[in-house]
Amino acid sequence: MAAPQTVEFTSMALLTHLLACVFGTGSWAALNGLWVELPLLVTELPEQWYLPSYITIIIQLANVGPLLVTLLHRFKPGLLSEVAIIYGVVAVGALACLLLAFLWGFTSPVAGEPHSTAFFGLAFCLALVDCTSSVTFLPFMARLQPRYVTTFFVGEGLSGFLPALIALAQGAGIARCVNITRITNVTTGNNTAEGSQFQMETQYLPANFSTLVFFLLLAAMMVICLVAFFFLTRLNITLHSLQEIPGDGPRLSGGGDSPRREKPASSDKGFHRADPEIAYSLAKFAFIYLLVAWVNSLTNGILPSVQAYSCLPYGNMAYHLSATLSSMANPLACTIAMFLPSRSLALLGVLSVAGTGFGAYNMAMAVMSPCPLLQHSAWGHAIIVISWVFFTGSLSYVKVMTGVILRSQSHSALVWYGAVEQLGSLTGALIMFPLVNVYSFFRSADYCSLQCPA
């Protein structure tokens, strides 16, 4: 008699995994879409290769959203419903993507120079949505059994993978070098003769489909995320999966609460077992949150600002592949974390150091632009792409596992996870913006017209 119930439970559990994954895709899909579309946008918008640093600082300005949610959670718990906030931010994200499809190229003069005012304004709306998701989506998932949290992280990784796939199909920013012959007038004494001058120039190939279609597809992803969340909150399996979460866990405010421990749920059968009964000392909590801040400062603030500078000297194809394949490394790392989870803080520390090393190489190539190492070698092209992939993949694994660890402690720990995540991102962006936009520390490169020694 128990077999039909077991089959029904399994099918509902799989459906909940699917909904949790689709829900996770809406967390950062919009902003990830902006990043992978950059190779095309920079050829059309007046900011050109300064555009990544502008986007980075806009994202950090949007941290007012998670800051407000975190403060309300701390001082006015229960005032705002997480469910209502999620409905609101996802709906705003879908609307902003829809408007971006039609208004992204609109410019207006600012201080006498044309700027992408519509693009920046809508990008801020998308950043507000995605940044706020850090302190709302994951705390909501903490209401479910632990196995669904890892599935959510897979969906969060897909929020970069799916836009990257669309960008690959679009062929955004693919270029070739063309030999251009220019006719010049040469004056010798009283005689003027025509001469020819040969020059290599970059010619961008037309995309397979327009930016309008790309942003419409992003809007569709946000709508699908909204629908998945609607059903996720109403499935019977969700109601049956709700469990007691330690209420106040570790607080960064210095309160007297000690880390709580969660008992394993005997019914939790899935990709991996329920969270083990582990208590962490204050020093270990400080180390975990330090990892969260450092990893996110690198992946969300520091390195994205210089990806163009580190890759473009190797050619547009190298930049295109590094942007798309590194986005694909994120969900791959989340999938690995699902089947091979490790809560070893030593391992997470080692992976953080390794990811920092890859990030340091990427930064060094950006500093050396327009003439980085191995520029004229196929090895140089391959290494810069591989470095970006491993940088993203290793640090993505760290982000997933720190989230899983904090999930086992309390709902409040996950809210602080989101807050520290955004704080790290903000710090990285504030460091990089003046270096890129004010002091022009990095030099852009046109691969076809470079004059570097072989």
Side-chain angles (χ1 to χ4, degrees):
M1 296 297 293
Q5 294 180 355
T6 302
V7 172
E8 181 181 0
F9 178 82
T10 302
S11 62
M12 293 299 286
L14 290 175
L15 178 59
T16 306
H17 276 297
L18 176 62
L19 291 175
C21 183
V22 174
F23 173 54
T25 61
S27 56
W28 289 93
L31 286 181
N32 285 328
L34 293 185
W35 286 117
V36 298
E37 190 71 355
L38 273 181
L40 192 150
L41 295 176
V42 296
T43 65
E44 302 289 340
L45 297 179
E47 290 78 13
Q48 296 185 337
W49 289 110
Y50 288 109
L51 197 61
S53 59
Y54 277 106
I55 293 176
T56 301
I57 203 65
I58 286 172
I59 293 173
Q60 306 318 316
L61 291 175
N63 279 311
V64 63
L67 176 62
L68 179 61
V69 172
T70 304
L71 291 177
L72 288 175
H73 171 78
R74 176 65 181 90
F75 297 106
K76 296 288 184 179
L79 180 63
L80 292 179
S81 166
E82 281 174 352
V83 173
I85 295 175
I86 292 172
Y87 273 124
V89 298
V90 177
V92 169
L95 179 60
C97 286
L98 181 63
L99 293 176
L100 201 57
F102 299 96
L103 302 177
W104 69 272
F106 179 82
T107 61
S108 59
V110 177
E113 297 289 336
H115 283 283
S116 310
T117 48
F119 177 83
F120 288 150
L122 292 170
F124 177 80
C125 293
L126 295 180
L128 193 64
V129 169
D130 290 4
C131 290
T132 304
S133 74
S134 297
V135 293
T136 53
F137 283 26
L138 195 55
F140 170 79
M141 292 302 302
R143 303 182 185 188
L144 309 184
Q145 290 178 354
R147 53 182 172 175
Y148 299 124
V149 175
T150 307
T151 309
F152 168 82
F153 274 115
V154 173
E156 189 177 75
L158 288 174
S159 70
F161 177 74
L162 295 178
L165 278 184
I166 297 173
L168 277 177
Q170 183 188 26
I174 301 298
R176 63 182 179 183
C177 297
V178 179
N179 195 352
I180 302 297
T181 302
R182 297 185 181 277
I183 304 300
T184 59
N185 293 325
V186 180
T187 302
T188 305
N190 295 326
N191 299 321
T192 301
E194 287 189 350
S196 59
Q197 181 181 3
F198 299 97
Q199 182 178 352
M200 296 296 292
E201 289 188 355
T202 301
Q203 183 181 83
Y204 289 92
L205 302 180
N208 296 324
F209 53 86
S210 67
T211 302
L212 182 146
V213 174
F214 180 86
F215 285 126
L216 287 178
L217 291 174
L218 284 187
M221 286 183 62
M222 298 301 295
V223 171
I224 293 172
C225 168
L226 188 63
V227 172
F229 179 67
F230 174 82
F231 286 107
L232 192 62
T233 58
R234 281 159 177 77
L235 275 180
N236 288 332
I237 185 64
T238 300
L239 298 177
H240 293 157
S241 299
L242 295 179
Q243 58 184 10
E244 291 296 324
I245 301 297
D248 295 311
R251 293 184 182 275
L252 298 183
S253 57
D257 299 330
S258 59
R260 310 281 184 96
R261 295 184 297 178
E262 184 179 342
K263 295 180 180 180
S266 59
S267 63
D268 187 24
K269 299 177 182 178
F271 291 103
H272 57 78
R273 293 175 296 183
D275 293 340
E277 192 170 333
I278 298 176
Y280 293 95
S281 65
L282 183 61
K284 289 184 177 180
F285 271 113
F287 177 72
I288 292 171
Y289 281 115
L290 180 62
L291 283 184
V292 172
W294 175 249
V295 165
N296 282 280
S297 69
L298 292 178
T299 57
N300 299 338
I302 295 178
L303 270 301
S305 299
V306 299
Q307 187 168 21
Y309 297 100
S310 69
C311 298
L312 270 181
Y314 295 98
N316 291 86
M317 180 60 74
Y319 176 72
H320 185 65
L321 289 176
S322 67
T324 52
L325 295 182
S326 61
S327 295
M328 295 178 183
N330 191 315
L332 177 60
C334 295
T335 304
I336 293 173
M338 174 182 288
F339 292 100
L340 297 173
S342 174
R343 291 178 173 81
S344 169
L345 298 185
L347 175 62
L348 297 182
V350 169
L351 288 176
S352 298
V353 172
T356 301
F358 287 115
Y361 178 82
N362 299 337
M363 177 62 72
M365 297 306 100
V367 171
M368 297 173 67
S369 176
C371 300
L373 297 176
L374 301 174
Q375 182 181 25
H376 301 284
S377 168
W379 283 105
H381 296 211
I383 289 173
I384 192 64
V385 174
I386 293 172
S387 181
W388 273 100
V389 170
F390 278 92
F391 163 75
T392 304
S394 58
L395 297 188
S396 293
Y397 184 92
V398 174
K399 287 197 281 188
V400 171
M401 292 314 304
T402 51
V404 170
I405 289 172
L406 294 174
R407 158 63 183 80
S408 68
Q409 303 304 308
S410 72
H411 175 278
S412 183
L414 283 179
V415 174
W416 282 111
Y417 171 93
V420 173
E421 177 183 36
Q422 296 307 119
L423 178 63
S425 303
L426 174 63
T427 303
L430 291 179
I431 291 173
M432 294 306 298
F433 187 81
L435 293 178
V436 175
N437 293 81
V438 178
Y439 299 108
S440 299
F441 189 75
F442 301 92
R443 296 175 57 196
S444 59
D446 184 342
Y447 178 74
C448 294
S449 60
L450 284 175
Q451 299 294 326
C452 294

